Amino acid sequence: MSKPLTLRTIRNSDIENVVKTLYFSHLNPNQEITILKIAILFLNNSAQDIKDFGYRLLVKYSMNTDKYIPLYDVATLLGYTPISKLLKNSDLIENNGGFANSFIESFHETLKHDGNYQTESQNNLFDNFQKSMNISVAVVAPTSYGKSQLIEQSVSNNPEKNIAIIVPSKALISQTRARIKKSITHPTEQQLIIHHDMKIDNSRPIIAVVTQERMLRLFQKHAALSFDIVFIDEAHNLLSGDKRSRLLASSIILAKIRNEKAALKYLTPFLVSSESLQIVVKNHTVKEIKISEKLKTEDFFVCDINNDGKLKQYDQYLDRHFDVNGETYKDDLALLRIKRKRKNIIYLNKPKDIESYADILAREYKTSANSEIEAICNDISEYVHPKYRLLDCLKKGVAYHHGSVPDIVRGYIESSFKKINSIRWIVTNSTLLEGVNIPAETLFILDARKGRSNLTSSQFKNLAGRVNRFSEIFNPTDGSPQLLVPSIYLIASNYSRSGANIDQYIQRVTKVDKKVADEIENPLLELSGTSDDVIQDRDEELTYIENIEPGSLSRDDLKIAKFPIGRLCYIHNVFEFNINDSEESMNLSILEYRSIGAQISDAEELMKVISDIFLSKIIDDDYHSNLIRLKNTAAQSFYAMLFDWRMNQVNYKRMISKFTLYWKTIRDKDRDSVVFAGKWGNLTKGGHIENYVDLNGLSDYEMINLAIVRIKEEQDFIDNNLVKFLEILNDLELVDTHLYSMVKYGTVDPVQIALIKNGLTHIAATVLATKYNALIEIDDQDNVIISNRIIEILQSSNEKRIIIFEVINSGLITQ
């Protein structure tokens, strides 16, 4: 008997030479026949990896020879209908007529949904998912396989049920809400909630589009709230050990506590086993629906600029590195210049590196004469500042994108990159891993890290999967089978980890038969382990849940807060200190403030109280340095000033002017010129983390751009770290109601507050509420409906395009 064919036997065969020819040269007729024979042999194998290799060879054969009939035939047999239709519609396959052809075309039409063709596996996925609506399911399918359509279909088919959709970032709430809104079949009956402060009518079905933080706050504020169906988008995030992943697990546990029959829908492009999703309490059976087919087949390249500069292609099936026709590069810019395509993504880890590299790349190009780019730059200039670094980059066809770019500007950049052909580059980081969809044919990775760790295999593949999405490959206008082979370049550069071995790294994360396991670090997951550290972390998280939902875990050993302030700290996600150890002291402080009788009515007093009651309990360490520095009275005054700016709705330009003036005053008066800069710092001060920068030596341009990113980060810091203390004090009735609304929303106007709760920025909310109030309807639950005449009116009134963009993408305009 002959031995079964395996990847190991294939690697030990003579296939390597013909594959090299396929990749880098033109095939002669004999080699064409050989490749086709090998592809057919592999495609008939029972092992999925070998089948995939056969498909890859066939796709590469079509690219090499410009002969597409074999690919069409195999795509038809495998049920890859989108590919078959693409080849036909691109006139790469002759229509020979006849019964067989008509039969195939008729069958293809049965796989057409909403104008798009699905693979047979996609079609089966939708059918199986709908049949499993009442049970928990993990859908593991590549990016672009229609997971968002599963959500929309579920909302449409279940108008009587409470449904929650947990998305990984606030940036995804509005676009998800906009899609969901179109799927709601009974808009007058169903409530669409995106913020925990929105009012809820318990007599009507609820659809909540929220982050895990907002999901928990919904549960905390509404004791009777439960959900029948809970979608967890990008569910692989649940496996991580960071705080947000633990909050996600907590929200799932609470969903099951509130409703034992809640059907959990985990959506992810990468998961080895659904068993990895098991939570430590309220265990539930999870049915797994996994799509293993791969319509795309990536070309992976590596180039160590810091070493020999050789460009090599790594084949993930043969586990071989091939020199690419002797090409060498001593400069990453030279490689990018030659290998770029129509749309290109550059991945870097640090925001500071992103802006620096975008600036360097932009110098390679002349200023574009594109009137649309000029208009976009004028909008951003007016919204932020004329000397914003992003503007100089955009004019050269380079965009950048990271968490310290103002939210509305970030969305504007994504939209501009999609629409404007002359913007060919976008430099970004792990924000791209959180569901941001931007078109690109090529990905250049100059630093294969996320935070302090290397991208895991799943993260790397998720990143690569963002290139050449199905909507681009199968676009009726400019789709192309060439896009089935995205190019991914891993480059060791000055931005990479020192001494990084990219040859070994690319092998570790992309080799198809590399045994991988889900990396489970979340202590609230069953398979995270039973070590003392894990048990301790787990009990801390379960203590948090028990304090939110007393009696839910049936454990007597979990400490319950004795005082209202202790329970409120749990409810408002205070993790910076031990609540049980500190609550008695905090309660005494509260009693002292109450004995005075007056409520907190200004920002200075608010910051002092926050520091006295809460920040004083934090142990000094690098991890909490952001909050510890607020024990200093000068820092308290600074944040009181930021609160005042928010209350007076100071715009970006004025804030930048005030920031730079403040810094210049410090510098010019010979005071300590070293100031806190967070992730933009390059100096240490009383610690080990480079969080500080010396103002001496900074040009006005550099100072302005430092101010821009620091303002965004300070706004996020206030929202994520300080407002929760305001909420606790407000719940304890220690804060003046006017101050509370002004600090939290920047206004006391109910229309503006409702618009802000529904996702609009302060600026857009102010414009709409003050000028176009007649076009806005707000119901008793703070749901907002904006007349569909609004865009035409905004345009005729010459409102800023960036404001119009925000309103268009808000999902609030009536259909």
Side-chain angles (χ1 to χ4, degrees), residues 355 384-389 652-653 655-657 659-661 663-664 695 698-711:
E355 294 204 6
V384 183
H385 197 280
K387 291 187 178 180
Y388 191 7
R389 177 181 286 113
Y652 252 97
K653 273 187 178 179
M655 284 191 284
I656 294 164
S657 176
F659 250 77
T660 53
L661 180 61
W663 284 337
K664 287 177 181 179
L695 296 175
L698 289 186
S699 66
D700 285 356
Y701 177 83
E702 291 169 326
M703 202 175 285
I704 286 167
N705 279 280
L706 179 60
I708 292 169
V709 294
R710 288 299 299 134
I711 288 167

Side-chain angles (χ1 to χ4, degrees), residues 562-613:
K562 299 175 183 178
F563 300 95
I565 191 169
R567 184 155 188 268
L568 286 170
C569 283
Y570 280 112
I571 286 174
H572 289 282
N573 301 332
V574 174
F575 302 108
E576 291 81 4
F577 54 82
N578 188 301
I579 296 170
N580 296 95
D581 291 347
S582 304
E583 63 171 336
E584 186 170 356
S585 171
M586 290 191 294
N587 187 60
L588 288 173
S589 297
I590 292 298
L591 292 176
E592 287 180 20
Y593 277 103
R594 279 204 172 127
S595 68
I596 299 172
Q599 289 186 314
I600 302 167
S601 58
D602 64 67
E604 284 276 3
E605 186 183 5
L606 175 62
M607 279 306 306
K608 183 179 184 307
V609 174
I610 287 174
S611 178
D612 290 348
I613 296 180

